[in-house]
């Protein structure tokens, strides 16, 4: 979208300045490009910059933990009568993680609802979904799908 052209240009400028500031040092282009991509996606989806928002930094950490927990072996998933047996505490960690990430999603939705009450025009994905009357559960699912892209970006770069 043309609206995000300046955002992309500023992001590229920020990356170039970061590289220039590290004169003589090894620079991780992978990390810089990853952050640039995440900033662009988060701006389009949530109107937030990853670098500038401590809540969003926590969001990324919780997301990382969530994606890691999806890969663990839980005996109760395969042998239902042993569902109570959780020697490593993975189930408890999953429940706590789900609660925290749902709270962050709800906070994002609530911020956008407050903005809509002030009659602001839709500027991102969450605004558009709210303006179309999409329910919060679906919006949270959509945010989760967009969020999982962050991990994919980091792995592919």
């Amino acid at each position: 979208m043309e609206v995000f052209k300046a955002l992309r240009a500023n992001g590229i400028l920020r990356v170039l300045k970061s590289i220039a500031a590290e004169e003589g040092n090894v620079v991780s282009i992978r990390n810089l490009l990853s952050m640039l991509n995440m900033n662009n996606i988060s701006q389009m989806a949530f109107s937030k910059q990853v670098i500038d928002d401590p809540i969003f930094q926590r969001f990324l950490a919780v997301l990382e933990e969530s994606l890691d927990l999806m890969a663990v072996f839980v005996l109760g998933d395969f042998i239902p009568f042993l569902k109570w047996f959780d020697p490593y505490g993975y189930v408890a960690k999953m429940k706590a993680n789900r609660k925290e990430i749902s709270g962050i999603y709800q906070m994002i939705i609530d911020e956008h609802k407050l903005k809509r009450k002030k009659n602001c025009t839709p500027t991102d994905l969450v605004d558009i979904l709210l303006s179309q009357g999409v329910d919060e559960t679906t919006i949270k699912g959509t945010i989760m799908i967009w969020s999982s892209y962050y991990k994919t970006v980091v792995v592919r770069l």
Side-chain angles (χ1 to χ4, degrees):
M1 288 176 62
E2 192 66 30
V3 175
F4 297 114
K5 186 175 184 178
L7 170 76
R8 291 189 303 269
N10 287 335
I12 292 169
L13 185 59
R14 187 182 297 172
V15 167
L16 293 174
K17 284 181 180 179
S18 294
I19 293 170
E22 296 295 326
E23 183 179 337
N25 296 323
V26 176
V27 178
S28 173
I29 299 296
R30 174 185 177 182
N31 290 343
L32 290 172
L33 292 177
S34 176
M35 190 60 68
L36 172 66
N37 202 11
M38 286 190 289
N39 275 332
N40 287 338
I41 293 168
S42 66
Q43 184 66 40
M44 289 185 281
F46 319 119
S47 293
K48 291 192 179 293
Q49 290 285 300
V50 175
I51 293 172
D52 302 332
D53 192 334
I55 293 170
F56 211 75
Q57 289 293 321
R58 180 64 191 146
F59 169 72
L60 290 176
V62 173
L63 177 66
E64 177 95 17
E65 180 185 13
S66 176
L67 293 171
D68 289 344
L69 285 169
M70 287 181 197
V72 300
F73 177 79
V74 177
L75 192 60
D77 288 344
F78 299 96
I79 306 171
F81 71 86
L82 290 177
K83 200 169 197 100
W84 60 271
F85 187 65
D86 186 22
Y88 300 108
Y90 290 140
V91 174
K93 287 177 188 176
M94 288 176 192
K95 287 178 181 178
N97 180 276
R98 181 183 67 213
K99 184 177 180 180
E100 186 172 4
I101 205 160
S102 181
I104 293 170
Y105 291 161
Q106 190 61 53
M107 187 172 49
I108 291 169
I109 292 168
D110 291 344
E111 285 177 4
H112 283 77
K113 282 183 171 182
L114 185 63
K115 187 171 77 172
R116 285 190 71 220
K117 285 183 181 177
K118 296 177 182 176
N119 294 324
C120 295
T121 57
T123 57
D124 60 32
L125 176 68
V126 175
D127 286 336
I128 292 168
L129 293 173
L130 285 170
S131 70
Q132 296 299 313
V134 176
D135 65 283
E136 289 185 9
T137 303
T138 304
I139 294 173
K140 286 180 182 180
T142 304
I143 293 171
M144 183 61 175
I145 291 168
W146 272 71
S147 303
S148 65
Y149 181 71
Y150 292 123
K151 180 73 172 173
T152 305
V153 168
V154 173
V155 170
R156 287 190 179 177
L157 287 177

